[in-house]
Protein backbone atom coordinates (compact mmCIF):
# COMPACT_ATOMS: atom_id res chain seq x y z
CA UNK A 1 0.00 0.00 0.00
CA UNK A 2 2.82 2.39 0.82
CA UNK A 3 4.47 1.85 -2.57
CA UNK A 4 1.17 2.51 -4.37
CA UNK A 5 0.66 5.64 -2.28
CA UNK A 6 4.10 6.94 -3.19
CA UNK A 7 3.56 6.08 -6.86
CA UNK A 8 0.22 7.90 -6.82
CA UNK A 9 2.06 11.10 -5.90
CA UNK A 10 3.35 11.22 -9.47
CA UNK A 11 -0.12 10.65 -10.93
CA UNK A 12 -0.92 14.36 -11.17
CA UNK A 13 1.75 14.76 -13.84
CA UNK A 14 -0.15 12.73 -16.41
CA UNK A 15 -3.52 11.33 -17.28
CA UNK A 16 -4.83 7.90 -16.48
CA UNK A 17 -3.57 6.44 -19.75
CA UNK A 18 -0.01 7.57 -19.03
CA UNK A 19 -0.26 5.89 -15.62
CA UNK A 20 -1.79 2.61 -16.80
CA UNK A 21 0.45 0.34 -14.67
CA UNK A 22 -0.37 2.30 -11.52
CA UNK A 23 -4.10 2.36 -12.26
CA UNK A 24 -4.02 -1.38 -12.96
CA UNK A 25 -2.17 -2.06 -9.69
CA UNK A 26 -4.67 -0.04 -7.66
CA UNK A 27 -7.98 -0.87 -9.36
CA UNK A 28 -7.35 -4.14 -11.21
CA UNK A 29 -7.27 -5.17 -14.85
CA UNK A 30 -10.58 -3.59 -15.83
CA UNK A 31 -10.02 -0.26 -14.13
CA UNK A 32 -10.94 1.81 -17.17
CA UNK A 33 -14.29 0.05 -17.62
CA UNK A 34 -15.50 0.12 -14.04
CA UNK A 35 -18.30 2.51 -13.19
CA UNK A 36 -18.21 4.19 -16.59
CA UNK A 37 -21.48 6.08 -17.00
CA UNK A 38 -23.51 4.85 -19.94
CA UNK A 39 -26.34 7.36 -19.63
CA UNK A 40 -26.95 10.71 -17.93
CA UNK A 41 -27.58 10.57 -14.20
CA UNK A 42 -30.82 12.48 -13.47
CA UNK A 43 -29.93 13.05 -9.80
CA UNK A 44 -26.58 14.56 -10.80
CA UNK A 45 -28.20 16.74 -13.46
CA UNK A 46 -30.78 17.94 -10.91
CA UNK A 47 -28.04 18.77 -8.41
CA UNK A 48 -26.17 20.70 -11.13
CA UNK A 49 -29.29 22.77 -11.82
CA UNK A 50 -29.60 23.58 -8.11
CA UNK A 51 -25.94 24.60 -7.91
CA UNK A 52 -26.32 26.78 -11.02
CA UNK A 53 -29.39 28.47 -9.52
CA UNK A 54 -27.54 29.20 -6.27
CA UNK A 55 -24.56 30.60 -8.21
CA UNK A 56 -26.87 32.85 -10.23
CA UNK A 57 -28.61 34.08 -7.07
CA UNK A 58 -25.32 34.84 -5.34
CA UNK A 59 -24.06 36.67 -8.42
CA UNK A 60 -27.24 38.74 -8.56
CA UNK A 61 -26.97 39.59 -4.85
CA UNK A 62 -23.33 40.58 -5.26
CA UNK A 63 -24.09 42.78 -8.29
CA UNK A 64 -26.98 44.43 -6.46
CA UNK A 65 -24.76 45.17 -3.46
CA UNK A 66 -22.09 46.66 -5.73
CA UNK A 67 -24.66 48.92 -7.40
CA UNK A 68 -25.91 50.07 -4.00
CA UNK A 69 -22.34 50.78 -2.85
CA UNK A 70 -21.61 52.78 -6.02
CA UNK A 71 -24.69 54.96 -5.44
CA UNK A 72 -23.60 55.86 -1.92
Amino acid sequence: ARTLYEDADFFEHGGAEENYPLMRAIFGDNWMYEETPTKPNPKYEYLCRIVDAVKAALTAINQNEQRNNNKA
Side-chain angles (χ1 to χ4, degrees):
R2 182 66 178 172
T3 301
L4 293 175
Y5 176 79
E6 290 170 356
D7 290 345
D9 187 43
F10 298 103
F11 184 73
E12 66 185 51
H13 302 293
E17 288 77 23
E18 288 86 16
N19 292 290
Y20 182 83
L22 175 61
M23 296 296 288
R24 185 172 174 226
I26 294 172
F27 298 109
D29 290 333
N30 296 324
W31 67 268
M32 61 178 41
Y33 302 111
E34 296 293 321
E35 302 296 325
T36 303
T38 57
K39 62 182 180 179
N41 182 331
K43 290 180 180 179
Y44 176 78
E45 291 176 335
Y46 178 67
L47 181 60
C48 286
R49 288 194 303 271
I50 292 172
V51 169
D52 289 340
V54 170
K55 286 180 181 179
L58 291 173
T59 299
I61 290 170
N62 188 28
Q63 289 174 348
N64 192 22
E65 287 178 356
Q66 287 179 353
R67 279 189 220 125
N68 289 339
N69 288 339
N70 289 339
K71 289 180 182 179

